[in-house]
Amino acid sequence: MKSRILENLRKNEGPVSGQALSEQLGISRVSIWKHIQQLQAFGYDIISSAKGYRLKSSPDVPYPWEFTGRESKIIYHEQLSSTMEVAKQLARKGCADFTTVIAGRQTSGRGRLNRQWFSDEGGLYFTMVLRPDLPPVFSFRVGFLASLTLARLLNQIFKIEVRVKWPNDLLVNERKICGMLSELEAEADRVAFINMGIGLNVNNDPSPIEPTATSLKMILGHNVSKKEILFRYLDLFETQMQSAAYDDVIEQWKQYTVTLNRHVRVVTTRDVFTGKAIDVDETGALVLKCSDGSLKTIHYGDCFHQSH
Ligand code: BTN
């Protein structure tokens, strides 16, 4: 109901009477008034006058009712330890495909290789529970599709040059703006779920903790809407997942990457490798040419770009 009330108020610049809302939405004026009071408590600036209700501004918070059509699959908390933890519990209990857990901030945000992910207010932190009909060997494609889709969307909305770094980071001018973490559980020959966690620096400033990181606000010089980015991303990514878009995702991803033909240092759980990144193979692994001429194929790790 909140999403329908907001939709109505947003369509009209002037005030909308309680009577008109009640007739259009088929609930009593008292119920309308109660919903309006709740929306005000959630930070919506709704002016109430003798002529009716007028929406002056909305908070930039991804409340479920802002996601028309997917309200029941959006779980938002102002603060969580990590969206990965909540998403894992929901996934194991059988929640629907594309259930999305979002946090305003995280107290124990996690990065790859057990690092911390700095998650203060202003960033966008979410985990999608995905249930693709895929054999586990192809699951890596989902991460490549997730990063490529977000890079393209940010380029399109903000006209900035977002590029992908192996495996799933997004960079702008060589600075990290987004990281992704995926967790998979599989049954014998099919994926049960892939939880894709995304941390995007939007209106926060990560640079005091991560000097090589950046955010949309630092690049653009002003705040942007987290809610809108997420809304558009979920729609776009879900459409891509339903199409065969990920059959040639590695080829497409290569058009957007700044990792290939670079000297890199790759840290895995056990080793550190250096060399020239010459390819990403059809399994998503990075192929390095080491200084002795040998080739090394790396399936998972953290990649640091060195010189060109
Ligand atoms: C990385 O680059 O190391 C991956 C960072 C992933 C961070 C996101 S934020 C939302 C989700 N919850 C977490 O605790 N981590 C991921």
Side-chain angles (χ1 to χ4, degrees), residues 82-84 106 109-112 115 117 176 179-180 198-199:
S82 161
T83 56
M84 299 307 284
Q106 303 181 108
R110 293 199 272 117
R112 280 195 309 272
R115 277 198 322 255
W117 182 259
K176 182 158 166 171
M180 300 195 182
I198 301 187

Side-chain angles (χ1 to χ4, degrees), residues 27-53:
I27 58 168
S28 70
R29 285 174 61 172
V30 175
S31 306
I32 297 280
W33 176 71
K34 281 191 181 147
H35 282 295
I36 296 274
Q37 278 196 318
Q38 287 169 10
L39 285 168
Q40 286 169 330
F42 281 116
Y44 291 80
D45 189 1
I46 301 173
I47 311 286
S48 158
S49 69
K51 289 187 187 155
Y53 303 109

Side-chain angles (χ1 to χ4, degrees), residues 95-146:
C95 71
D97 186 23
F98 261 91
T99 297
T100 304
V101 182
I102 313 157
R105 51 183 182 271
Q106 303 181 108
T107 50
S108 311
R110 293 199 272 117
R112 280 195 309 272
L113 303 178
N114 286 328
R115 277 198 322 255
Q116 269 193 348
W117 182 259
F118 178 58
S119 312
D120 64 339
E121 218 171 309
L124 183 54
Y125 314 105
F126 64 103
T127 301
M128 301 172 287
V129 178
L130 307 170
R131 301 188 184 279
D133 189 12
L134 272 181
V137 285
F138 290 138
S139 60
F140 68 90
R141 289 182 180 172
V142 175
F144 282 84
L145 186 62

